Amino acid sequence: MPNKIHITMFGQFSISYRDKRLCENEYRGSKMISLLEYLISQRGREITQNELIDLLWSDSKNPANALKTLVHRTRAMLDEMIPGGGKLIAGSHSSYAFIESDECVIDSTKFKEYIDKTEDESLSRTRRISMYKKAIALYNSGYLAGAVGETWVQPINVYFHALYNSAVDKCAQLLYPMGKFSEIITLCERATMLDQSDEK
């Protein structure tokens, strides 16, 4: 998709635009990455200044000023890679929000859209299988794997992982009557690599 902003939330966090890529590994431990991860995860609602301060600082003498500086630096970083990218972070000194524009393609959002489509029982078996496969292909190493130790990430990770396991199970059930055993094995082998504790 030309001129789309691709945001990866599964596995390693990254933002890509054309030939430019902002990758979590390059900014290990950066508060700019933590800010982006949180704002994108909480898109659709305004995040108060106090909530962000509690998330990002515990020992700053002037956390409000530190947050203002951090937001400014993060917007500037986005502007460098995306024309007008800084506008993705909206807000003032009291609250901030990530603006999910039409140009944004977020893998976790697409994953959920595909899963939702599979619930439409008017779709043919082949079409539902296709939707499941697209969702399954997007899932990789959990939600924000680099920040999975963060308390706020854990429930989101559990939620998406449960959806993934369910998608594998339901896709396999649809494939079984069709005799697509090799496809079932491939699905289940990958699922087992991601989660060896799921006996089903």
Side-chain angles (χ1 to χ4, degrees):
M1 296 180 186
N3 302 329
K4 290 286 186 179
I5 303 165
H6 293 269
I7 301 176
T8 302
M9 304 299 282
F10 292 133
Q12 182 187 86
F13 172 77
S14 68
I15 300 176
S16 303
Y17 178 77
R18 294 184 177 176
D19 61 343
K20 296 179 180 179
R21 187 166 186 258
L22 170 67
C23 185
E24 179 183 26
N25 273 356
E26 298 170 6
Y27 294 86
R28 182 68 66 185
S30 166
K31 281 185 168 56
M32 287 191 291
I33 294 297
S34 297
L35 175 67
L36 283 169
E37 289 177 338
Y38 192 72
L39 289 178
I40 294 170
S41 293
Q42 303 295 319
R43 59 193 177 279
R45 76 178 182 93
E46 291 189 358
I47 314 299
T48 66
Q49 175 180 318
N50 288 339
E51 185 175 342
L52 289 172
I53 288 171
D54 288 343
L55 175 76
L56 297 166
W57 287 281
S58 58
D59 55 359
S60 175
K61 295 180 180 178
N62 191 348
N65 190 57
L67 177 61
K68 179 182 175 181
T69 301
L70 177 65
V71 171
H72 176 76
R73 289 175 56 218
T74 305
R75 283 173 170 159
M77 179 175 66
L78 291 173
D79 275 331
E80 284 183 11
M81 67 176 297
I82 306 165
K87 294 179 182 177
L88 291 170
I89 300 177
S92 60
H93 303 311
S94 59
S95 65
Y96 297 94
F98 181 83
I99 304 302
E100 187 175 358
S101 69
D102 293 338
E103 287 73 38
C104 290
V105 179
I106 304 176
D107 61 351
S108 57
T109 299
K110 295 297 293 182
F111 174 87
K112 187 62 168 59
E113 287 175 359
Y114 289 137
I115 293 296
D116 289 344
K117 287 178 181 177
T118 64
E119 301 300 317
D120 183 357
E121 295 187 358
S122 69
L123 293 178
S124 67
R125 177 187 296 267
T126 302
R127 183 66 174 157
R128 291 177 70 197
I129 289 172
S130 174
M131 291 296 104
Y132 276 125
K133 285 183 176 180
K134 286 180 179 181
I136 289 166
L138 286 172
Y139 188 84
N140 177 35
S141 303
Y143 189 87
L144 292 178
V148 74
E150 297 291 334
T151 304
W152 68 267
V153 174
Q154 292 170 6
I156 305 174
N157 183 50
V158 168
Y159 169 75
F160 278 111
H161 190 67
L163 280 182
Y164 168 76
N165 281 342
S166 176
V168 170
D169 179 36
K170 291 177 180 178
C171 188
Q173 290 182 41
L174 290 172
L175 288 167
Y176 188 82
M178 301 169 69
K180 303 284 187 177
F181 305 124
S182 62
E183 291 186 35
I184 294 172
I185 290 170
T186 299
L187 282 176
C188 293
E189 282 181 340
R190 181 173 182 270
T192 302
M193 289 177 63
L194 293 175
D195 183 3
Q196 298 183 8
S197 65
D198 191 323
E199 294 181 3
K200 189 172 185 179

